[in-house]
Amino acid sequence: MEIVHVSAECYPVAKAGGLGDVVGALPRYQQEAGHVSKVVMPMYRTRFLYENQWTVVHKGGAALGSAWFEYTIIQEATNRLGFDLYLVDVHGLLDRERVYGYEDDDERFIAFQIAVIDWLSSWQHRPDIVHVHDHHAGLIPFMMQHCLAYRNLASVPVVLTIHNAQYQGAMHWDKSVLIPSWDSWKRGLLEWDGRINPLACAIRCAWRVTTVSHSYLQEMRASSNGLEPLFEYEKGKCSGILNGIDSQVWDPASDPALDRHYRTRDVASGKQAAKRALCEVFHLDPEKPLFVFIGRLVGEKAADLLPDVIADSFAHIGRRMNFLVLGSGEREVESKLNALLGMSQGDYGLYLGYHENLAHRMYAGADFLLMPSRVEPCGLNQLYAMRYGTVPVVRLTGGLKDTVVDIGDEKGYGITHRHASVGDITHGIFRSLGLYEHPAELHRVRQRMMKLDFSWHRSAQSYADLYKTLK
Ligand code: ADP
Ligand code: GLC
């Protein structure tokens, strides 16, 4: 099968979070399984762009409301990622440094989507599947079916994967003029709650919809930022397929970010070396257990609770552990975490910003990973942590619920809690210390986790099975 993924992110080209990881890995596993898998994404001004070679494969132009834009499709020339990678260059709109966060994001991503289908409609053949990811590509199923110029794509099956339904890309109706001339009887497909809602539109128009874990799908029917009735109505075409991890990129036995590699059999000494190196950088005591948090400092991740969790743990449990936080996001959370540095007694470290290499070293050097998320569609951090022998301390929600089993169960390997509250998280930390004090048990738990298989093979097969039903 020939599959065309359309996404705003793809690691290592451009990544803001887990979406990038997924779109950077799944296509390679699909190629390995014998399919032809391609990725189309915007051309941002990233290092990857400058460090690689490109071939121009198509040039075109299209209207964006009353304006006209030219676009160029370039292809990475050396098959560096193991699949065909195409970037859409729309001068002045897409060629920016960041992926998101500009005032004209609506225009940027609509232009991107128009360029993608304008190009696809010029192909001599049709792909077997167009696979769109999140709301940035959410208007594509509608455009393929109801924009007059692109109806030659209407018979191509489209699959939508929802990585995060909190973000829906909703915009004012004025923007409807940006969408290439469409069948006005279909207005209802674009609209949700009085606005154009690309995610809702994609849920309606895609042939099948997947979410990145089973539990998240169930949760969205009860709570999904206003889309609950839609998920209930469309439940027949929705299913959950758990993300995998790229076990080549995330492997403590070969990770280039680590000075010393380790496997299951030498996990204790390997992690100790990684922890010592990390503690030296952040002036922490390597004899104490190390709890880390890695991620976007936003409400979904319950990052706003971290400052109180850290302060309360020190106050009530004692200064028996270290905390190290890596992330960026809401200003208020950043400044509270910063303020905590003043009370550190060599047991708290912070890096505000995005640092891929440091993230790898933290998964390896930490004893425990905190993930108290309020919402977690799948979550990759806990999967990376487990592969590196780091015990996840997670709230039972979405993908965390589907991937972490509490040590209270026979064969369990994580520490779970019910609520995103300071009390529950602190209790999780207290339980973690209990595990840390029993090195033999900790060792067994680490080995158990590292033997788990969360690689993409199984999930890639589930996507292939789903595509087959659409042929
Ligand atoms: P989300 O996509 O909701 O942010 P995921 O758990 O699916 O959450 O994926 C997050 C990805 O982003 C992981 O690869 C994680 O290591 C990475 N990440 C998040 N924040 C940072 C950061 N500040 N520096 C480096 N990597 C980060
Ligand atoms: C989203 C979700 C995260 C998921 C990732 C990749 O950003 O927040 O839980 O792991 O997408 O699917």
Side-chain angles (χ1 to χ4, degrees):
M1 270 185 282
E2 182 181 25
I3 307 131
V4 178
H5 292 273
V6 187
S7 168
E9 300 177 33
C10 172
Y11 178 82
V13 192
K15 162 176 165 183
L19 169 64
D21 287 350
V22 170
V23 179
L26 171 62
R28 211 181 60 241
Y29 284 80
Q30 292 180 325
Q31 287 276 142
E32 283 167 17
H35 305 292
V36 174
S37 191
K38 306 176 170 197
V39 171
V40 193
M41 66 182 294
M43 191 200 86
Y44 311 108
R45 272 201 250 136
T46 62
R47 257 179 74 175
F48 191 91
L49 174 68
Y50 299 113
E51 289 175 355
N52 288 280
Q53 296 160 35
W54 304 91
T55 317
V56 173
V57 293
H58 181 77
K59 276 177 181 285
L64 183 67
S66 56
W68 181 261
F69 71 93
E70 308 278 341
Y71 69 88
T72 307
I73 310 281
I74 58 173
Q75 180 181 4
E76 197 276 311
T78 63
N79 193 31
R80 227 198 100 188
L81 303 185
F83 52 83
D84 288 345
L85 169 72
Y86 300 93
L87 306 185
V88 179
D89 178 16
V90 180
H91 186 64
L93 271 181
L94 297 179
D95 54 344
R96 312 248 176 103
E97 257 137 51
R98 281 181 284 124
V99 177
Y100 316 111
Y102 297 98
E103 267 183 11
D104 57 352
D105 276 358
D106 294 344
E107 285 73 12
R108 297 175 68 225
F109 287 106
I110 291 179
F112 165 62
Q113 295 174 83
I114 295 173
V116 171
I117 55 164
D118 196 70
W119 174 48
L120 287 182
S121 74
S122 75
W123 287 18
Q124 298 297 314
H125 71 287
R126 300 279 164 258
D128 294 300
I129 300 286
V130 170
H131 191 150
V132 300
H133 297 265
D134 276 354
H135 76 83
H136 310 98
L139 293 172
I140 283 186
F142 177 88
M143 290 186 192
M144 287 168 64
Q145 287 149 30
H146 307 297
C147 284
L148 309 179
Y150 302 119
R151 280 205 173 139
N152 60 348
L153 295 173
S155 60
V156 179
V158 193
V159 173
L160 162 73
T161 293
I162 301 176
H163 297 260
N164 198 332
Q166 299 301 303
Y167 305 99
Q168 300 168 6
M171 60 187 99
H172 196 275
W173 259 107
D174 294 353
K175 306 260 169 108
S176 62
V177 295
L178 301 175
I179 303 171
S181 177
W182 46 279
D183 177 355
S184 56
W185 286 95
K186 304 296 177 193
R187 181 188 160 108
L189 293 172
L190 286 170
E191 181 172 329
W192 187 261
D193 219 4
R195 309 183 78 201
I196 297 176
N197 186 313
L199 189 68
C201 179
I203 295 168
R204 287 167 169 143
C205 298
W207 294 32
R208 291 295 297 268
V209 177
T210 68
T211 61
V212 289
S213 70
H214 296 279
S215 290
Y216 184 54
L217 179 58
Q218 301 314 323
E219 287 166 12
M220 279 197 295
R221 285 163 62 186
S223 163
S224 52
N225 211 4
L227 298 187
E228 300 79 9
L230 184 58
F231 278 111
E232 190 56 39
Y233 184 74
E234 298 284 10
K235 63 181 180 227
K237 68 174 179 190
C238 298
S239 55
I241 298 180
L242 195 69
N243 285 334
I245 63 174
D246 190 328
S247 37
Q248 285 175 22
V249 175
W250 299 95
D251 184 358
S254 59
D255 190 331
L258 307 185
D259 298 331
R260 192 186 138 187
H261 296 134
Y262 62 92
R263 296 185 156 73
T264 315
R265 59 171 186 275
D266 58 349
V267 51
S269 56
K271 284 187 74 65
Q272 199 180 22
K275 180 164 152 185
R276 281 193 184 283
L278 200 58
C279 286
E280 204 173 300
V281 175
F282 287 93
H283 310 294
L284 305 172
D285 177 358
E287 299 309 321
K288 290 179 180 171
L290 175 60
F291 290 81
V292 301
F293 175 96
I294 300 169
R296 296 179 289 122
L297 300 176
V298 295
E300 266 175 67
K301 304 283 178 195
D304 49 302
L305 302 179
L306 286 177
D308 285 345
V309 165
I310 295 168
D312 278 26
S313 298
F314 284 148
H316 301 306
I317 307 177
R319 302 199 84 112
R320 294 161 56 194
M321 69 308 256
N322 297 310
F323 290 99
L324 179 57
V325 176
L326 163 64
S328 64
E330 286 164 14
R331 281 278 152 77
E332 202 184 321
V333 180
E334 289 191 356
S335 68
K336 279 191 182 162
L337 286 169
N338 223 354
L340 275 184
L341 284 171
M343 55 151 306
S344 168
Q345 298 174 12
D347 44 19
Y348 169 61
L350 172 68
Y351 184 99
L352 290 177
Y354 192 90
H355 198 316
E356 190 77 27
N357 181 284
L358 175 58
H360 283 248
R361 287 184 282 131
M362 285 171 69
Y363 290 120
D367 296 297
F368 300 96
L369 174 92
L370 297 176
M371 228 173 149
S373 311
R374 292 194 175 91
V375 184
E376 197 58 79
C378 176
L380 296 171
N381 296 15
Q382 82 280 13
L383 305 181
Y384 299 148
M386 293 193 279
R387 181 130 168 95
Y388 285 69
T390 298
V391 182
V393 182
V394 307
R395 174 168 174 248
L396 284 170
T397 186
L400 297 173
K401 194 167 153 186
D402 293 357
T403 54
V404 180
V405 179
D406 193 274
I407 49 166
D409 288 16
E410 203 195 338
K411 306 232 166 79
Y413 44 81
I415 293 187
T416 64
H417 55 89
R418 251 177 218 293
H419 304 287
S421 66
V422 175
D424 264 29
I425 305 166
T426 313
H427 183 66
I429 291 171
F430 183 72
R431 287 185 63 210
S432 308
L433 293 178
L435 177 63
Y436 190 82
E437 279 157 12
H438 293 88
E441 183 53 21
L442 177 63
H443 189 65
R444 266 194 296 278
V445 168
R446 282 172 170 170
Q447 293 204 319
R448 213 173 282 155
M449 283 186 299
M450 290 177 77
K451 285 184 186 145
L452 297 171
D453 179 11
F454 284 109
S455 81
W456 268 107
H457 293 291
R458 197 180 325 142
S459 307
Q461 186 56 48
S462 305
Y463 280 112
D465 294 342
L466 179 122
Y467 299 153
K468 270 187 219 142
T469 64
L470 303 177
K471 288 203 56 168

